[in-house]
Amino acid sequence: MKRILVLAFFGLSINLAFAQNCAQTLRLAVSSYDQGRLHELPGLLKKCLDDPNGFSKADKVTAYRLLTLSFIYLEEPEQADSTMILLLQTDHFYEPNQAVDPAEFIGLYKTFRTKPVFSWGIKLGANLTQPNVTSNYYIGGNAKGIGQTTGKIGIQAGGVFEKALFQGWKKSKWQNFTLAPEILYVTRSIDYANTPFLNYDLGNDPATQTDLKAPESQVWFELNVMLQYKLKPKSKFDPFVEIGPGIGLLSSSSIAANTTRGTTGNVVSGTNVDVTNSYKKLVYSVIAGVGGRYRVGPLYITAELRYQYGLINIVNEATRYNSELALDYAGVMNDYTINNIGALIGASIPVFRPQKLVKKKK
């Protein structure tokens, strides 16, 4: 055991010493560059660049910058391209210092693809369902128009793919558009109450009035194709607006129905009633929102607030009557559209593939 610890300590000491030597090497390289001894830099920096325990990330960027500048001034364009690629691969978010870097270096940088090819990530959040009843259906004679439908909080989570559009266009405003399709797992909760219920059929005695409570839980899978427009694309905090169509696939819906007979306390309840077949499988909506992303290291942290407007009645007119719900609880599905307010947070990972841009032939 002692031998292993001694060897580990010895190895760590060697790595630290090598790193210190590389730090000295970089200082010598900077001095050599300032003195115009450009031919010395490739051989001077090679060992520390090739060794994984050599330069730190920041020192590698400095070393590749020095090599790129040297090859520019030595009029070796292919070598300058090669080291610029290595610089961009080392630090994907690297940008020249407009106040310090030579114009030749900045010009070379602009000939490379430096933006992410695409991004992928996850997002999660909550939604507040706002059902909009368009037609009222009922069984009891006195139930017409007195049912109350309210929405509750649900959750949503899924994955997103982001692809910048028009990156090659000269007009910068077009480059601010990003296509961001997403697939979300969504739960929605809706409460329905009808009080008094069946009063007309059972008489005016309060003891015979029947109240229906029918909280409903739905599970959806949604594909939303969002188009985002970046408002400040060059800032670390990047706000955006978004809009796009949504397609929802209903996976399941069930109602935990119960009825209470007035002052008698008699309750009718049972297992949840599956009403999935009372709905259309696919529904459509349009979504609009605002949000922003903030870079933290290699990630973008995102936050969004959006509104989803349902375009169609989600109830299937041919199968709205569920026999269990109708016979045991005297309930039936109203026609309604679903609107939602949603809040989402997430994280996305940009994928970079820096390369030399090819000039289009005129």
Side-chain angles (χ1 to χ4, degrees), residues 177-329:
F177 285 100
T178 297
L179 187 66
E182 61 187 23
I183 296 178
L184 298 179
Y185 169 88
V186 181
T187 69
R188 296 197 175 102
S189 298
I190 301 171
D191 272 352
Y192 178 79
N194 206 327
T195 308
F197 197 73
L198 298 178
N199 186 44
Y200 176 81
D201 297 324
L202 300 179
N204 294 322
D205 185 351
T208 66
Q209 295 179 3
T210 303
D211 298 338
L212 170 64
K213 306 291 185 184
E216 184 174 358
S217 299
Q218 300 175 350
V219 175
W220 295 81
F221 291 96
E222 293 190 347
L223 170 63
N224 305 319
V225 183
M226 305 304 297
L227 181 65
Q228 299 177 349
Y229 183 79
K230 299 179 180 180
L231 301 177
K232 293 183 179 180
K234 295 184 179 180
S235 61
K236 194 168 185 180
F237 174 71
D238 178 18
F240 58 84
V241 294
E242 60 182 352
I243 191 169
I247 301 175
L249 171 66
L250 180 64
S251 175
S252 65
S253 183
S254 62
I255 295 177
N258 70 81
T259 57
T260 304
R261 178 71 61 82
T263 58
T264 66
N266 293 332
V267 176
V268 177
S269 63
T271 58
N272 291 357
V273 181
D274 186 348
V275 293
T276 306
N277 289 333
S278 295
Y279 290 104
K280 297 172 182 174
K281 281 294 183 182
L282 293 176
V283 298
Y284 310 98
S285 61
V286 62
I287 304 166
V290 296
R293 58 175 59 84
Y294 186 83
R295 185 164 71 86
V296 179
L299 301 175
Y300 285 104
I301 304 300
T302 61
E304 300 170 63
L305 181 65
R306 54 172 60 171
Y307 185 78
Q308 183 175 19
Y309 181 78
L311 297 176
I312 65 170
N313 168 36
I314 70 171
V315 175
N316 187 333
E317 294 86 348
T319 58
R320 77 170 66 252
Y321 288 95
N322 177 281
S323 59
E324 184 178 359
L325 184 64
L327 297 176
D328 293 350
Y329 304 100

Side-chain angles (χ1 to χ4, degrees), residues 34-302:
D34 291 339
Q35 295 173 22
R37 304 198 309 269
L38 305 182
H39 287 93
E40 298 178 8
L41 294 183
L44 187 61
L45 295 170
K46 185 177 188 308
K47 185 176 180 181
C48 290
L49 284 172
D50 291 343
D51 196 299
N53 297 315
F55 288 136
S56 66
K57 179 180 177 180
D59 287 347
K60 269 190 175 182
V61 170
T62 301
Y64 284 132
R65 175 182 175 275
L66 288 175
L67 287 173
T68 303
L69 286 167
S70 299
F71 290 132
I72 289 174
Y73 295 137
L74 292 172
E75 297 184 353
E76 298 182 17
E78 292 183 1
Q79 298 264 34
D81 286 350
S82 298
T83 51
M84 178 63 81
I85 281 283
L86 292 171
L87 189 159
L88 296 173
Q89 290 173 344
T90 302
D91 183 0
H92 292 142
F93 296 96
Y94 178 84
E95 291 184 0
N97 187 328
Q98 300 290 332
V100 175
D101 286 324
E104 296 88 347
F105 181 81
I106 296 173
L108 178 64
Y109 171 85
K110 291 180 178 179
T111 64
F112 285 81
R113 182 174 65 191
T114 59
K115 301 298 183 183
V117 179
F118 62 88
S119 299
W120 64 272
I122 58 173
K123 55 178 60 179
L124 57 90
N127 64 74
L128 175 62
T129 299
Q130 297 178 308
N132 177 36
V133 177
T134 56
S135 296
N136 183 254
Y137 289 82
Y138 56 95
I139 292 177
N142 237 29
K144 182 179 180 180
I146 61 174
Q148 298 294 322
T149 304
T150 56
K152 297 173 65 178
I153 299 293
I155 63 171
Q156 49 196 5
V160 62
F161 175 88
E162 299 175 353
K163 172 70 175 177
L165 302 175
F166 316 118
Q167 279 194 343
W169 289 41
K170 293 182 178 180
K171 292 186 177 180
S172 59
K173 288 186 177 180
W174 284 101
Q175 297 176 17
N176 295 348
F177 285 100
T178 297
L179 187 66
E182 61 187 23
I183 296 178
L184 298 179
Y185 169 88
V186 181
T187 69
R188 296 197 175 102
S189 298
I190 301 171
D191 272 352
Y192 178 79
N194 206 327
T195 308
F197 197 73
L198 298 178
N199 186 44
Y200 176 81
D201 297 324
L202 300 179
N204 294 322
D205 185 351
T208 66
Q209 295 179 3
T210 303
D211 298 338
L212 170 64
K213 306 291 185 184
E216 184 174 358
S217 299
Q218 300 175 350
V219 175
W220 295 81
F221 291 96
E222 293 190 347
L223 170 63
N224 305 319
V225 183
M226 305 304 297
L227 181 65
Q228 299 177 349
Y229 183 79
K230 299 179 180 180
L231 301 177
K232 293 183 179 180
K234 295 184 179 180
S235 61
K236 194 168 185 180
F237 174 71
D238 178 18
F240 58 84
V241 294
E242 60 182 352
I243 191 169
I247 301 175
L249 171 66
L250 180 64
S251 175
S252 65
S253 183
S254 62
I255 295 177
N258 70 81
T259 57
T260 304
R261 178 71 61 82
T263 58
T264 66
N266 293 332
V267 176
V268 177
S269 63
T271 58
N272 291 357
V273 181
D274 186 348
V275 293
T276 306
N277 289 333
S278 295
Y279 290 104
K280 297 172 182 174
K281 281 294 183 182
L282 293 176
V283 298
Y284 310 98
S285 61
V286 62
I287 304 166
V290 296
R293 58 175 59 84
Y294 186 83
R295 185 164 71 86
V296 179
L299 301 175
Y300 285 104
I301 304 300
T302 61

